[in-house]
Amino acid sequence: MKLQLWRNATLLLNIEGTTILIDPMLGEKGSLGKFPMTDNELLNPLVDLPFSREELMEKLKKTDAVAITHLHPDHWDAEAIQLIDKKIPILCPESISDQIAQQGFQNIISINDYIRWENIDVSITKGQHGTGEIGEKMGTVNGFVFKKENQSVYIVGDSIWYDGIATEINKHDPQHIVVAGGAATFSVGDPIIMTSEDILKVCEHTPKAKVWVTHLEAVSHCKENREYIEHKINKKGYESQCFILKDGEEADLSFH
């Protein structure tokens, strides 16, 4: 099992030769513009993809399926909708399948709880995209657990740490957990994805699992960068359990 971070939440997961593209944001740097309720004028995404347009098209041709956790534009943008083959299998929560169908996709695999696809067990998990009024405005978010034989990875998606994440970890017992770090925060309210303290709580809760941090340095409302989070991880002594992926980096999960 291999995992490559493209940028932000966009990941390519390879499970014994089957490749699943997760939460594709494929537009050029700045293509999403300024995000609302931010205290800056930065244009999103803040960085380009770590490879050329030609390489992107080649990677898309070799992709077997796309998995979407939710429809916020930094996880599913106009460029992804345009570039991705309308006949490719789209794995998604049932709650967003109609909207994806309206975008012209013809092979939607809608998941309410669990399915088996291409000999891979795919489960939908719950998340909490912030607290209070902001959390309500951010809407429903989900994650995925992918399992094949003795390999498993839990893509948490855009969620803070709360009891529900502990419940999902206890239920699925994943070897690898991919979290959205960066402490993204709007001009009002608390963080809507994991802070470094949240990431440490994941490590504490499941000392046997490896934790992979994504969603960093790519969108304007994230407050914590890689250096800051790495310092927090090292200070707590979790550097052999928790890893921060760079854009374009591929990790071989089989050897961790």
Side-chain angles (χ1 to χ4, degrees):
M1 191 183 283
K2 292 181 179 178
L3 183 74
Q4 184 183 39
L5 173 64
W6 287 11
R7 170 184 64 184
N8 199 53
T10 306
L11 297 157
L12 191 68
L13 178 65
N14 186 315
I15 304 173
E16 291 184 10
T18 300
T19 56
I20 303 167
L21 179 61
I22 300 164
D23 283 351
M25 174 177 63
L26 304 182
E28 293 180 355
K29 180 180 174 181
S31 59
L32 294 177
K34 187 187 169 208
F35 281 173
M37 295 194 301
T38 52
D39 50 9
N40 59 64
E41 298 297 318
L42 298 171
L43 303 181
N44 294 281
L46 305 178
V47 293
D48 273 317
L49 287 166
F51 37 74
S52 69
R53 173 84 170 198
E54 291 74 24
E55 287 174 286
L56 170 62
M57 299 312 291
E58 280 302 310
K59 286 174 181 286
L60 292 180
K61 278 183 202 169
K62 295 173 184 172
T63 298
D64 296 306
V66 174
I68 305 168
T69 61
H70 66 299
L71 297 176
H72 288 167
D74 63 322
H75 293 249
W76 181 241
D77 66 352
E79 194 73 357
I81 294 164
Q82 183 183 333
L83 293 182
I84 291 169
D85 186 335
K86 295 298 182 287
K87 293 178 181 175
I88 198 169
I90 303 277
L91 304 165
C92 69
E94 203 173 289
S95 57
I96 60 174
S97 59
D98 285 350
Q99 287 165 275
I100 296 169
Q102 287 164 18
Q103 293 164 344
F105 291 88
Q106 300 158 26
N107 189 2
I108 297 168
I109 300 167
S110 172
I111 310 168
N112 184 33
D113 178 43
Y114 159 86
I115 60 155
R116 190 166 176 81
W117 174 80
E118 298 291 322
N119 290 320
I120 299 167
D121 295 316
V122 186
S123 299
I124 290 285
T125 61
K126 293 178 180 174
Q128 186 176 317
H129 206 351
T131 57
E133 192 179 336
I134 286 287
E136 284 177 30
K137 280 186 177 174
M138 298 308 287
T140 302
V141 292
N142 295 97
F144 291 95
V145 175
F146 298 98
K147 283 187 180 181
K148 185 166 186 181
E149 293 161 4
N150 61 345
Q151 302 178 86
S152 58
V153 58
Y154 171 23
I155 311 290
V156 174
D158 275 10
S159 180
I160 58 173
W161 170 262
Y162 74 114
D163 288 346
I165 301 301
T167 300
E168 298 289 4
I169 292 170
N170 294 346
K171 177 182 176 182
H172 296 285
D173 192 26
Q175 295 166 319
H176 299 276
I177 302 171
V178 181
V179 300
T185 311
F186 290 107
S187 48
V188 293
D190 294 324
I192 58 170
I193 54 178
M194 290 200 188
T195 63
S196 51
E197 294 303 318
D198 285 346
I199 295 165
L200 295 175
K201 286 173 185 172
V202 176
C203 296
E204 286 166 18
H205 184 78
T206 178
K208 289 182 183 175
K210 302 299 182 188
V211 179
W212 303 85
V213 187
T214 65
H215 214 294
L216 301 176
E217 300 174 14
V219 287
S220 62
H221 54 325
C222 282
K223 306 298 182 188
E224 296 179 0
N225 62 16
R226 286 180 170 94
E227 186 181 3
Y228 179 86
I229 297 168
E230 184 177 27
H231 172 73
K232 291 282 190 178
I233 291 166
N234 292 346
K235 193 175 175 184
K236 276 283 189 178
Y238 287 129
E239 60 270 20
S240 62
Q241 181 190 2
C242 188
F243 309 95
I244 299 170
L245 289 168
K246 298 182 178 75
D247 291 355
E249 183 178 355
E250 184 177 67
D252 191 335
L253 303 189
S254 309
F255 292 98
H256 285 275

